[in-house]
């Protein structure tokens, strides 16, 4: 919703908005101590580019008019694939994408990974809605479901998000001169 609202208001392509918002979120993640990796760059640029290419095709045109069971299956599959995919690529430790970096930064500041993602997604949902984005049941379910699936996937894999935190400068103890 955020990207759709901004795209509409700014007259930019959806994919370009994804890239620009991604860069802004990465700045916030870096301020919280998360360092980008090569996967971060690939995610920021690649996802926006692929979205614009996909939207230029007719591949998804029939989905809104498809049978209800197919739309429900597509929605459920999307939530699961986003959550599992995020946990897998974050676990590879090549750097996370924008929202995932922010989710990991929140996790490293004491928040559960699932709650971090839900908080980010609900915030984005609300801002997108205020910008005029279309709010639907699928948007809400995606916002509420992706974080718990990421957390569950990490738990099933017996993993935690790797730390790509920027190291703080070494502190010299005060009693050493």
């Amino acid at each position: 919703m955020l990207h759709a609202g901004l795209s509409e208001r700014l007259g930019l392509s959806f994919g370009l908005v994804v890239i620009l918002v991604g860069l802004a979120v990465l700045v916030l993640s870096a301020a919280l101590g998360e360092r980008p990796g090569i996967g971060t760059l690939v995610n920021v640029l690649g996802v926006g580019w692929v979205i614009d290419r996909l939207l230029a095709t007719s591949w998804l045109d029939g989905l809104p008019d498809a049978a209800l069971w197919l739309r429900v299956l597509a929605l459920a599959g999307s939530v699961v694939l986003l959550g599992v995919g995020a946990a897998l690529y974050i676990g590879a430790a090549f750097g996370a994408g924008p929202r995932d970096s922010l989710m990991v930064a929140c996790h490293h500041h004491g928040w559960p990974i699932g709650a971090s993602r839900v908080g980010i997604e609900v915030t984005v949902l609300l801002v997108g809605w205020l910008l005029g984005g279309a709010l639907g049941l699928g948007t809400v379910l995606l916002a509420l479901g992706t974080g718990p699936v990421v957390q569950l996937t990490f738990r099933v894999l017996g993993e935690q998000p790797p730390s790509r935190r920027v190291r703080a400068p070494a502190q010299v103890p005060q009693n050493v001169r």
Side-chain angles (χ1 to χ4, degrees), residues 30-46:
L32 291 171
E34 289 304 309
R35 220 175 40 194
I38 188 68
T40 308
L41 179 62
V42 169
N43 184 296
V44 164
L45 300 176

Side-chain angles (χ1 to χ4, degrees), residues 1-4 75 78-79 82 99 117-118 121-129 133-146:
M1 285 182 52
L2 173 66
H3 300 121
L75 174 61
S78 297
V79 172
L82 280 172
R99 288 187 196 173
R117 184 59 178 257
V118 169
E121 294 297 339
V122 168
T123 300
V124 167
L125 183 146
L126 292 173
V127 172
W129 179 67
L135 177 62
L137 180 61
T139 307
V140 173
L141 291 176
L142 196 70
L144 298 176
T146 304

Side-chain angles (χ1 to χ4, degrees), residues 14 29 33 54 73 80 83 117 120 123 125 141 152 154 156 171 174:
F14 191 90
S29 298
L54 181 61
L73 182 63
V80 171
R117 184 59 178 257
I120 292 164
T123 300
L125 183 146
L141 291 176
L152 177 64
F154 273 122
V156 166
Q171 299 278 334
Q174 291 181 357

